[in-house]
Amino acid sequence: MDPTRSKHHTTKMAIPTISDDPSYRPGLEGVQACRSSICHVDGQAGKLEYRGIDVKNLAEHSSFEETIYLLLYNHLPVERELNQLNILSQKLRRLPAPVLNPIEGFPAGIHPLIAMQALIALLQGDDYYADDISNPHHNLRRAVSLISKASTMVAAIERHRHGEQALPPVSKYSHAENFLFMLTGEPPHECAIKAMDLLLILHAEHGMNNSTFTARVIGSTNASIYSSISGAVGALSGFLHGGANERVVRMLYSIGDPENVEAFVEERLSIKKKIMGIGHRVYKVKDPRATILQGILPDLIEQCSGEEVKRLYNIALRLEEVVTEKLNKKDLYPNVDFYSGIVMEALGIASDLFTAIFAMSRVAGWCAHWLEQVSANRLFRPKLLYMGDHNRPYIQIKDR
Ligand SMILES: CC(C)(COP(=O)(O)OP(=O)(O)OC[C@H]1O[C@@H](n2cnc3c(N)ncnc32)[C@H](O)[C@@H]1OP(=O)(O)O)[C@@H](O)C(=O)NCCC(=O)NCCS
């Protein structure tokens, strides 16, 4: 019992309930908080558009570089524009020493995503005028710089974990190829480059998800792009958002065999635990990105990996079947994380690097949102529905 209540009178306001105040929306679900022309997610139709272009078309015909251009500049580039972006991006890939060197001192157990969050925040120190966000051209250059440096960071963090020196970026390579090269120092296989490029395209943007909202909230205070994007990375780390892909792969390994799937699902549901990679706040059908990634897996496994990943894929297929049968009444289907983890597993990437790769791609969308936010800003400042007491007396410690 609260001791202040037992001995002292407290004036209490009538406590408002949720039904008394319809403006109260836990998790801001369904609330439209800003205007945007960057991305549209149709959760009923299972359609995702970047700047009005279906992501299926981008996945089939485009590249991550072109997707970056589209997100930042709001149109598909002509050849000259794409070349200009590539030249700038390649020039900006390298990390300055004061940002690269601190990796050496990071605690051994740090998660790669959190290491990345720290490095992005450090980049602010390399931009003397970071706080001046008044020039749209400077802001665009900062966005290109962050997108270009993100993959260099992830590769450097990964190599450091294995006691290896970071490799310098190779400017003649595409974003995807360069990243894979910087991870291992080996020229990557063509099918691995294509799969990585696809992962980058598909993760680049997804409307007002939690981390994008975070970037916009921080940006709305006129904080720098570095603070905003570093905050967004933190938001992505939770398993309700970006952290699910690595958990999916761990879950598939723990199931072990397609024959065990049914019992696994029964058990999870009986103890009211969620199945990773399933369900989405917006999609009420299968996530279109999951369909696209699933589509490349048979060939990717054939060309780039072996029996182990094939077994994981077969477990995933069976899991999708059982979940769809048992949970379709709740509109629960695979989301992007369900198959993206297997794609990365097929590429031989360590599972705790998956979310950092997601972030390395999503930096493009976050930057587009930050640019949109600061170009027509309104400070985010929602209200609380206060449920606490009023006029409680302050009681001296000896009397409590
Ligand atoms: C993504 C997610 C957070 C969306 O959640 P949400 O819109 O808030 O939906 P809720 O958590 O309120 O769930 C609604 C119902 O579906 C069930 N449900 C949702 N996701 C489920 C899952 N993955 N496995 C089993 N049941 C699930 C909930 O238990 C709840 O059931 P109830 O109404 O009987 O209580 C949720 O589906 C989830 O946690 N998925 C697993 C993690 C994941 O894959 N995250 C990556 C997202 S891209």
Side-chain angles (χ1 to χ4, degrees), residues 29 206 238-245 247-248 268-269 272-282 284 287 289 323 327 330-333 335-338 358:
E29 194 165 347
H206 208 244
F239 81 86
L240 294 185
H241 189 6
N245 50 17
R247 286 179 169 82
V248 168
R268 294 295 287 182
L269 297 182
K272 296 206 173 306
K273 290 268 182 207
K274 287 183 172 167
I275 298 159
M276 290 297 110
I278 300 294
H280 199 278
R281 179 61 67 81
V282 182
K284 300 304 162 205
D287 184 330
R289 299 165 300 173
V323 162
L327 294 175
K330 290 188 186 176
D331 294 334
L332 294 171
Y333 299 95
N335 59 50
V336 65
D337 292 324
F338 194 73
F358 180 159

Side-chain angles (χ1 to χ4, degrees), residues 120-283:
I120 292 175
L122 284 182
L123 268 181
Q124 166 129 0
D126 195 55
D127 180 349
Y128 190 74
Y129 299 104
D131 289 337
D132 179 1
I133 57 167
S134 58
N135 185 323
H137 297 291
H138 294 172
N139 289 340
L140 266 166
R141 190 187 159 91
R142 287 174 176 133
V144 175
S145 172
L146 257 173
I147 298 164
S148 310
K149 288 180 171 62
S151 51
T152 316
M153 286 176 186
V154 177
I157 291 163
E158 176 61 352
R159 287 184 69 81
H160 171 67
R161 293 202 297 171
H162 297 100
E164 290 164 327
Q165 285 289 313
L167 291 170
V170 181
S171 48
K172 66 177 179 185
Y173 289 164
S174 70
H175 210 95
E177 184 170 9
N178 177 54
F179 171 64
L180 291 171
F181 176 80
M182 287 190 299
L183 275 183
T184 63
E186 304 283 334
H189 194 289
E190 196 53 39
C191 73
I193 300 169
K194 276 179 86 173
M196 180 50 68
D197 195 51
L198 184 65
L199 281 170
L200 295 176
I201 293 171
L202 293 180
H203 285 87
E205 168 54 17
H206 208 244
M208 193 63 126
N209 55 81
N210 187 293
S211 54
T212 300
F213 180 51
T214 304
R216 292 191 78 127
V217 169
I218 300 176
S220 81
T221 69
N222 276 359
S224 75
I225 193 169
Y226 310 100
S227 297
S228 304
I229 304 304
S230 146
V233 174
L236 190 70
S237 67
F239 81 86
L240 294 185
H241 189 6
N245 50 17
E246 77 181 79
R247 286 179 169 82
V248 168
V249 166
R250 266 192 259 143
M251 170 186 76
L252 296 175
Y253 273 119
S254 78
I255 295 173
D257 191 281
E259 281 190 1
N260 303 334
V261 164
E262 192 136 9
F264 169 81
V265 173
E266 292 289 353
E267 203 243 326
R268 294 295 287 182
L269 297 182
S270 72
I271 55 171
K272 296 206 173 306
K273 290 268 182 207
K274 287 183 172 167
I275 298 159
M276 290 297 110
I278 300 294
H280 199 278
R281 179 61 67 81
V282 182
Y283 291 117

Side-chain angles (χ1 to χ4, degrees), residues 17-85:
T17 64
I18 295 165
S19 52
D20 286 339
D21 191 340
S23 72
Y24 170 51
R25 305 292 282 270
L28 297 181
E29 194 165 347
V31 174
Q32 304 189 97
C34 49
R35 294 179 181 174
S36 179
S37 64
I38 300 169
C39 180
H40 183 243
V41 187
D42 183 337
Q44 298 297 334
K47 188 169 177 186
L48 168 62
E49 291 171 323
Y50 297 171
R51 300 284 192 186
I53 298 179
D54 195 323
V55 79
K56 281 185 199 154
N57 291 330
L58 293 171
E60 198 174 334
H61 306 293
S62 185
S63 62
F64 184 52
E65 284 74 6
E66 209 177 51
T67 302
I68 294 168
Y69 194 100
L70 175 67
L71 288 170
L72 296 185
Y73 295 88
N74 195 11
H75 65 95
L76 284 171
V78 296
E79 218 165 304
R80 176 183 48 81
E81 291 169 325
L82 187 59
N83 285 341
Q84 279 172 352
L85 175 75

